[in-house]
């Protein structure tokens, strides 16, 4: 079943046509990778799906519902979460508080509890903290829960952003260059966690330059170049495709 | 360590919230007895009013991260709306009080609705513009506000009569101080509950990074309007008390410099905490009084304190207390 369907998406910035006529169907429960050279429009695609930008034309359908005109925060409630290419954590907040903030759309207690902190309130708080700790354990940051997010290493910050996005309980998780700046061991554990996330039923869209990671994690790959659709297929097909190879100037992919 | 032991280690008895409120209530009760005489009792009430103003601004600035320079306008709106209702229409004090608070809060929400896309410097300028316009309206709408001529003989809140006890008249400055300080303590309690709930998490997320906040499902525009509404309403409450306390009302009390004074209180105390602005407001209310003896030099001292804090203690008094506490081995 298709979870997200894009049809003829266009988005330009001034004279730059960042995304031109991109269509794709992302099947539920898969890892879908978007690759391409720098400036190909990959991040713009994620921004269109998450609602940071609205497309000039074309349509997005998520679980049978159109996303047209919906702002980013409304899409989170539908089940779309994301991370950012340039890390955007709440740097002055603790690691735990970063993840707890991710539960924003899942507090379901009557409004007066915010004033009087009754039993339901305390149960909700305890549940959020327990869930947040579980997510931190999942990404290997449980021991760092009290640290300020800004004090984490680069790799740890990427994993924290991953955990924070998962806190929104997404159906579709968009991750933009999660391996950037990670060492080999960190890339391995990232791979593991992406696959675990998929196993838990979350559909993942990953934009990534690290081909080893992409080839190991992706069920399908969309290749973009200058905003355009260059190729789409399984990892093995992508590796064999001459047009893809030439877009990467012959080296990187093999 | 057992859970209880951990909880005791993290929240030692002297940091317990209930004890904190109890201690604050005792201090409020004791102050007018220790600092007797008209001069001090006047200053105590001014302190309480300034604490309210600083708490309101801190909710907007310290928690939601929105640089609001319009607090003087909300202060003035609360004062004028409640006073005009009392003096012109004979509305009972507490109904007028509620109306002043609501009007100021509404004004804050309307300002935020229009300024919601602005950030940093631009929001500062827009909110300052709002303060300028409000001041000009208070000054020039003479038919309504009597402009610079002022409104006189504003009555105190009605006496409270409890059967069997002597009536409590708010013509008595000590009683009025207890009233204002009591309401301030209540406001502190309410804000404290809010910021320690998911609402606090939401506002600080917006302060830290709006794009990230939106990516977690936070309607940033809506929550900024909320923060402005609450902070402006608290400023409006301060205005209602100011009018009834001073008994006369002129627009100059709400000139834009007042916004900067309130900002200084929040910064010197430590924004993003509630206790910081309380001490910031008390310090910056009393410091000029203490320094009255040195004449114009006091403005220099005042300015120097502010500069030193911003340069060396950006977290304000709260940060200073934490540093000292850590040195003495009091904190964890
Ligand atoms: N907000 C923006 N304003 C102006 N131009 C933009 C904006 N966002 C993207 N672009 C331009 O659109 C094009 C595609 O950018 P995009 O960030 O989507 O590329 P990308 O494939 O993610 O590249 P990279 O691998 O470097 O992250 C680039 O030419 C970029 O300069
Ligand atoms: Mg990119």
């Amino acid at each position: 079943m298709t979870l997200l369907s894009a049809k003829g998406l266009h988005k330009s910035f001034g004279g730059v046509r960042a995304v031109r006529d991109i269509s794709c169907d992302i099947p539920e429960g898969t890892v879908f990778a978007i690759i391409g050279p720098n400036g190909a429009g990959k991040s713009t695609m994620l921004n269109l799906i998450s609602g940071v930008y609205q497309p000039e034309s074309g349509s997005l359908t998520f679980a049978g519902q159109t996303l047209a005109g919906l702002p980013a925060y409304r899409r989170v409630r539908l089940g779309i979460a994301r991370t950012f290419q340039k890390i955007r954590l709440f740097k002055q907040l603790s690691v735990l508080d970063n993840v707890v903030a991710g539960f924003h759309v899942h507090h379901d207690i009557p409004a007066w509890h915010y004033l009087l902190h009754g039993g339901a309130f305390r149960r909700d708080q305890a549940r959020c903290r327990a869930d947040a700790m579980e997510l931190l354990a999942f990404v290997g940051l449980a021991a760092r829960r009290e640290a300020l997010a800004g004090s984490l290493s680069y790799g740890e910050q990427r994993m924290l952003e991953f955990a924070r996005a998962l806190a929104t309980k997404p159906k579709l998780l968009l991750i933009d260059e999660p391996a950037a700046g990670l060492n080999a061991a960190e890339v391995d554990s990232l791979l593991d966690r992406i696959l675990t996330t998929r196993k838990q039923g979350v559909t993942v869209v990953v934009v990534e330059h690290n081909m080893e990671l992409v080839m190991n994690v992706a069920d399908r790959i969309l290749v973009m170049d200058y905003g355009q659709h260059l190729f789409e297929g399984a990892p093995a097909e992508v590796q064999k495709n001459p047009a893809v190879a030439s877009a990467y100037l012959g080296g990187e992919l093999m | 360590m057992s859970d209880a032991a951990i909880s005791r280690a993290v929240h030692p008895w002297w940091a317990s919230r209930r004890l904190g409120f109890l201690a604050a209530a005792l201090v409020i009760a004791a102050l007018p007895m220790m600092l007797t005489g008209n001069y001090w009792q006047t200053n105590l009430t001014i302190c309480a009013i300034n604490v309210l103003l600083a708490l309101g601004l801190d909710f907007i600035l310290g928690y939601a991260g929105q640089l609001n320079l319009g607090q003087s306008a909300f202060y003035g709106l609360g004062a004028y709306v409640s006073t005009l209702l009392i003096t012109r229409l004979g509305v009972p004090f507490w109904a007028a009080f509620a109306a002043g608070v609501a009007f100021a809060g509404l004004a804050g929400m309307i300002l935020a609705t229009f300024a919601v896309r602005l950030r940093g410097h631009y929001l500062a300028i827009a909110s300052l513009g709002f303060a300028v316009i409000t001041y000009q309206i208070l000054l020039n709408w003479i038919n309504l506000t009597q402009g610079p001529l002022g409104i006189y003989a504003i009555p105190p809140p009605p006496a409270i009569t409890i059967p069997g006890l002597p009536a409590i008249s708010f013509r008595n400055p000590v009683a009025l101080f207890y009233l204002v300080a009591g309401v301030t303590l209540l406001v502190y309690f309410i804000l404290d509950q809010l910021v320690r709930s998911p609402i606090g998490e939401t506002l600080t997320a917006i302060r830290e990074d709006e794009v990230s906040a939106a990516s977690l499902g936070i309607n940033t525009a809506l929550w900024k309007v909320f923060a402005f509404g609450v902070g402006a309403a608290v400023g409006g409450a301060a205005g209602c008390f100011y009018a009834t306390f001073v008994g006369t009302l002129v627009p100059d009390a709400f000139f834009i410099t007042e916004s900067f004074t309130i900002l200084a209180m929040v910064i010197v105390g430590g924004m993003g905490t509630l206790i910081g602005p309380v001490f910031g407001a008390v310090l910056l209310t009393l410091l000029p009084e203490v320094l009255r003896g040195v004449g114009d030099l006091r403005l220099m001292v005042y300015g120097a304190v502010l500069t030193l804090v911003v340069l060396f203690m950006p977290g304000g008094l709260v940060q200073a207390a934490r540093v000292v506490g850590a040195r003495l081995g009091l904190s964890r």
Side-chain angles (χ1 to χ4, degrees):
Chain A
M1 199 191 102
T2 301
L3 181 63
L4 183 91
S5 162
K7 292 223 171 3
L9 289 180
H10 282 269
K11 177 72 192 173
S12 25
F13 300 100
V16 182
R17 298 172 70 186
V19 167
R20 311 191 227 178
D21 195 24
I22 297 286
S23 301
C24 58
D25 283 332
I26 299 174
E28 194 169 357
T30 60
V31 175
F32 188 91
I34 304 178
I35 65 169
N38 290 107
K42 308 179 294 293
S43 294
T44 305
M45 271 301 288
L46 294 197
N47 285 330
L48 288 171
I49 298 170
S50 66
V52 173
Y53 302 135
Q54 302 287 339
E56 274 123 33
S57 63
S59 69
L60 282 163
T61 316
F62 178 75
Q65 177 181 354
T66 174
L67 295 180
L70 277 189
Y73 75 89
R74 293 268 302 272
R75 296 184 191 196
V76 179
R77 277 180 203 275
L78 297 180
I80 301 178
R82 69 168 299 170
T83 69
F84 296 89
Q85 181 172 348
K86 189 177 166 293
I87 299 173
R88 303 191 78 128
L89 286 169
F90 306 127
K91 291 205 176 74
Q92 300 297 316
L93 303 188
S94 74
V95 167
L96 182 64
D97 284 345
N98 267 268
V99 180
V100 166
F103 291 112
H104 178 80
V105 298
H106 296 292
H107 297 290
D108 117 64
I109 47 175
W112 62 266
H113 270 290
Y114 293 117
L115 215 54
L116 290 178
H117 297 194
F121 174 88
R122 287 197 297 273
R123 276 192 297 283
D124 178 73
Q125 293 285 91
R127 182 182 55 82
C128 279
R129 274 171 178 63
D131 288 0
M133 280 312 295
E134 209 168 286
L135 285 170
L136 284 178
F138 174 57
V139 298
L141 287 173
R144 307 280 274 135
R145 64 179 180 277
E146 299 287 340
L148 289 189
S151 73
L152 296 184
S153 75
Y154 199 77
E156 289 174 325
Q157 295 199 12
R158 288 230 171 264
M159 294 318 287
L160 178 55
E161 227 192 26
F162 187 72
R164 185 181 69 177
L166 285 176
T168 67
K169 302 178 185 163
K171 293 192 184 81
L172 177 69
L173 176 64
L174 315 168
I175 40 185
D176 200 347
E177 302 204 11
L182 266 55
N183 63 36
E186 289 173 327
V187 171
D188 275 350
S189 70
L190 172 69
L191 180 96
D192 240 40
R193 272 130 197 184
I194 295 175
L195 291 175
T196 309
T197 304
R198 183 192 61 181
K199 230 179 273 161
Q200 291 165 347
V202 179
T203 307
V204 180
V205 177
V206 56
V207 167
E208 188 46 67
H209 282 296
N210 183 326
M211 283 309 141
E212 205 192 313
L213 177 76
V214 170
M215 293 304 161
N216 280 314
V217 82
D219 298 301
R220 276 189 89 71
I221 301 175
L222 167 67
V223 188
M224 291 177 70
D225 193 20
Y226 292 107
Q228 284 171 306
H229 180 291
L230 191 66
F231 186 77
E232 192 195 314
E237 297 170 310
V238 170
Q239 266 167 327
K240 277 186 299 211
N241 188 281
V244 175
S246 75
Y248 276 92
L249 298 169
E252 255 186 273
L253 259 181
M254 303 302 135
Chain B
M1 250 196 297
S2 72
D3 274 5
I6 291 172
S7 151
R8 245 178 285 129
V10 176
H11 306 284
W13 62 268
W14 45 266
S16 137
R17 232 158 268 280
R18 244 174 253 177
L19 272 165
F21 279 106
L22 188 67
L26 287 176
V27 168
I28 289 170
L31 274 173
M33 300 173 199
M34 286 153 55
L35 303 169
T36 50
N38 236 340
Y39 173 76
W40 274 112
Q41 283 167 0
T42 300
N43 275 320
L44 284 179
T45 309
I46 296 283
C47 273
I49 289 171
N50 283 339
V51 167
L52 266 183
L53 287 168
L55 284 174
L57 176 61
D58 187 42
F59 194 72
I60 301 172
L61 173 65
Y63 286 90
Q66 305 301 306
L67 185 42
N68 162 34
L69 292 178
Q71 197 69 357
S72 62
F74 306 132
Y75 185 30
L77 289 173
Y80 271 91
V81 168
S82 60
T83 300
L84 290 173
L85 287 175
I86 293 166
T87 56
R88 299 235 164 173
L89 301 177
V91 173
F93 177 84
W94 288 109
F97 181 89
V101 169
F103 193 93
L106 208 61
M109 290 167 81
I110 291 169
L111 173 65
T113 305
F114 284 106
V116 94
R117 286 205 172 70
L118 308 175
R119 277 192 64 77
H121 304 312
Y122 296 101
L123 176 64
I125 292 167
S127 57
L128 191 60
F130 177 73
V132 172
I133 292 168
T134 304
Y135 171 74
Q136 288 299 332
I137 291 173
L138 296 181
L139 195 64
N140 293 312
W141 194 351
I142 303 215
N143 285 338
L144 188 71
T145 68
Q146 305 187 36
L149 295 173
I151 302 171
Y152 289 91
I154 302 164
I160 296 178
T161 47
I162 302 164
L165 290 172
I168 302 166
S169 160
F170 292 109
R171 291 189 193 281
N172 174 354
V174 174
L176 190 57
F177 166 73
Y178 282 145
L179 179 70
V180 179
V183 170
T184 303
L185 194 62
L186 178 68
V187 166
Y188 188 102
F189 172 78
I190 291 171
L191 296 181
D192 189 49
Q193 293 289 90
L194 290 182
V195 302
R196 290 185 306 111
S197 79
I199 292 176
E201 287 154 13
T202 301
L203 297 182
T204 43
I206 292 170
R207 176 189 77 199
E208 293 291 308
D209 187 336
E210 271 188 50
V211 175
S212 263
S215 85
L216 301 179
I218 294 170
N219 182 349
T220 56
L222 180 83
W223 285 103
K224 284 196 255 180
V225 169
F226 170 81
F228 262 86
V230 172
V234 173
C240 300
F241 283 137
Y242 175 84
T244 191
F245 170 65
V246 177
T248 62
L249 213 46
V250 285
D252 272 359
F254 313 107
F255 190 57
I256 54 172
T257 48
E258 188 61 23
S259 279
F260 291 97
T261 308
I262 302 164
L263 181 67
M265 290 167 181
V266 173
I267 291 172
V268 166
M271 53 181 175
T273 68
L274 289 176
I275 195 69
V278 172
F279 285 102
V282 171
L283 181 72
L284 290 193
T285 308
L286 296 185
L287 194 61
E289 296 302 325
V290 173
L291 294 174
R292 208 172 269 284
V294 292
D296 280 347
L297 218 59
R298 77 194 166 99
L299 289 176
M300 278 182 64
V301 177
Y302 190 97
V305 167
L306 195 57
T307 312
L308 288 174
V309 166
V310 171
L311 284 179
F312 300 111
M313 260 311 153
L317 294 173
V318 166
Q319 188 192 354
R322 279 198 191 127
V323 170
V324 173
R327 290 265 161 83
L328 298 179
L330 280 173
S331 86
R332 335 167 206 170

